[in-house]
Amino acid sequence: MNKQLIECVPNISEGRDLQKINAIANIVTTVEGVKLLDVDPGKATNRTVITFVGEPEQVIDAAFLLIKKAAELIDMSKHSGEHPRFGATDVCPLVPIANISMDETANYAHKLGKRVGDELGISGYFYENAASSDDRKNLATVRSGEYEGLKEKLSDPIWKPDFGPSEYNNQVSTSGVTAISARDFLIAYNVNLNSTSTRRANAIAFDVREAGRVKREGNPITGKKVLDQHGEVVRIPGKLKAVKGIGWYIEEYGIAQISYNLTNISITSMHEAFDETVASATRRGLRVTGSELVGLVPLQAMLDAADYFLIKQQRSLGISESEKIKIAIKSLGLDDLKPFNPNERIIEYVMNGNAEKKLIDFSVKDFAEETASESMAPGGGSISAYVGALGVSLGTMVANLSAHKPGWDDQWEYFSKWAQKGQAYKNELLFLVDEDTNAFNKIIDGFRLPKTTEEEKAYRKQAIEDATKYATEIPFKVMQTSYNSMEVMMEMAKKGLQNSLSDAGVGALCARTAVIGAYFNVRINAKDIKDNVFAEQILEKAKDVYLKTLQLEQEMMDIIDSKI
C-alpha cells in the first residue's frame, strides 16, 4: 500500500529571532520520517511559516513538539507584528498530500488538538475542514479580537475553546491560543506595488478578494454602510473566488503589498490572482512590480502559470520543465524582492532534494564514462532509451522553431501541440533510461536471495522470474514509445520548418535505433523467462513494432530524398 502523506504548515509568531525560529523549526526533525521542507521568516509580520511533511502519526507527533517548543520560547504578551495573530503557534493546518482523504486528515487534526489541550494545557480552536461547527470554519472569525481580545473572548460561552482550558490563565497570557485545521493546499502569495500606501493596497485587495468590500452610500470610503432587510451589512463581491486578501506596508522592503491566501488553486490560480491584481492596480494608477511566495508551491502551479503566460505570448508550450519554471518566475516577478530558488521553493523539488542521483542527472561526459566502466549497467536498454529521447528532442526542437517562425503566427498552436507531444515522449523515454537499469538490478537482487530451504528456493525462483519479465517489459516500452515518437519527426518533416528537415531526419533515425536496440534487449531477456506464453506474446508484439518502425523509417527517407 502506498504511504499516506500529509503536510503541516504551522505559522509561529516569531519572525526576527533566528535562534528561536531555528530551535522551534528543527524540533520536527527529531521525529523519524518527518522531513522539514521550508522555514520562511518575515521580519515585518514577525511571523514564520514552517513546512514539513511525512506520514500522519509522525507529522502530528512533530506538530505537537513544535507547538510545545513555540510556547516555551515565545511570549505573546510582548509580541507585535503586521499579521493578525492570537498564539505562539498561531495556526497549525494539516494538508492531505497523498493517499489520504480530507476526513481522515481532519481526524488527525482533532487528535493533535486533544493532545495539545490535555498534555500542554494550551487552548485552541478547530477551523476549516476540522471545524466543530459551521460558524468556526472561517479562520478570520475564529481569530477575531486577536491575542489582545482573548481575555474577553474566553469569558464568552459562545467562544469556549474546542480543546484545552476554558479560562484565561497564565498559560494563555504567554502562549496565546492555537488554531488547528485540515485544509486544502493553500498558497500564501503577496503582490508588490510601486507604492507605500496601505489604503491603496487595501483598495486593490477589496477589488480582487472574494469577500470584496462593504457597500456604502455616497462616498465608497466614508459613506454610511448599506444594510439589507435583516440589518446585515451588504457587500460588493470581489472578482475572484477562493481568495482572501488584505493590503499592508512592509517596512523591510519599503513597499505596500497585497497579501493573498489562495485557498483553492483549482478555483483561482496564482497567475489569475496576479493578473487580476495588475488590472486593478493599473486602473488605480499603480504598477505591480512583482510578487512573493510565502512557503512552498506545488510544481503544477508553476507550470500552469508558465503555460498561461506562454499562451498570452502565442509561444509554444512544448518547452522543457526548467524553461517553464524560468518563465513563471519572470512573468510573476517572483525574484523582485529576493532571489527565487526553485529547488528550495517548489515542494516536489524539495522533497526530491536528497534522492539518489539518477543516470539522467549525469552530464553527457559522466553518462558516457559510467556506461564505459566495468559495471554491467547502464547497458543497451538504457542507451536505447536515451537515444530515443535525443531523437524526439530533435523533433520537438523543429516543432518549437516552427511555432516561432515569422509569418507562421496563425499556426503557433498547431506546432505547440506537436511540441507538447514530443515533450511527453521525451519525458517517458528519460524515465525508461533509469528504469531499464533498475529492472536489471531487480534480477541481480533476485539471484542474491537466500536458497537454503525449499521455501527460500521457491521464493527466489519466483522473484527472478518476475524480475526477468519486468526487465523484458521495460525495453518493450522503449520500443513502443520510440516508435510512437516518430510521428513527431514525420509531421515536422512534412509541415515543419524546412531548413530543419535534416534535424527531423536525424531524430527519426535515432528513434529507429532506439527501437532496434530495445528489440535486442527484449529478445535476450525473453529467452530466460520460464512462462512460455508470456515470452511468446511479448516477442510477437515486439517484432510487430520492429517491422512497423522499419517501414516508417523508409517513409521518412523518401520524404527527405524528395525535399533535399
Side-chain angles (χ1 to χ4, degrees), residues 28 41 56 70 122 207 211 236 252 267 362 369 404 406 436 457 485 515 539 549:
V28 307
I122 295 175
D207 288 345
I236 303 170
E252 181 181 354
I267 296 174
F362 282 35
E369 290 183 349
H404 197 47
D436 187 83
K457 288 178 183 178
S485 77
V515 171
L539 285 169
T549 300

Side-chain angles (χ1 to χ4, degrees), residues 47-66:
R47 184 180 185 88
T48 296
V49 179
I50 299 167
T51 308
F52 55 94
V53 69
E55 294 185 63
E57 289 290 351
Q58 285 84 353
V59 164
I60 63 170
D61 284 345
F64 175 84
L65 293 176
L66 182 143

Side-chain angles (χ1 to χ4, degrees), residues 1 26 77 150 195 267 283 322 325 425 433 443 489 496 553:
M1 181 180 173
N26 288 331
S77 67
L150 282 178
S195 174
I267 296 174
R283 288 194 301 269
S322 61
I325 297 302
Y425 287 131
V433 170
I443 296 176
M489 285 73 90
E553 177 198 11

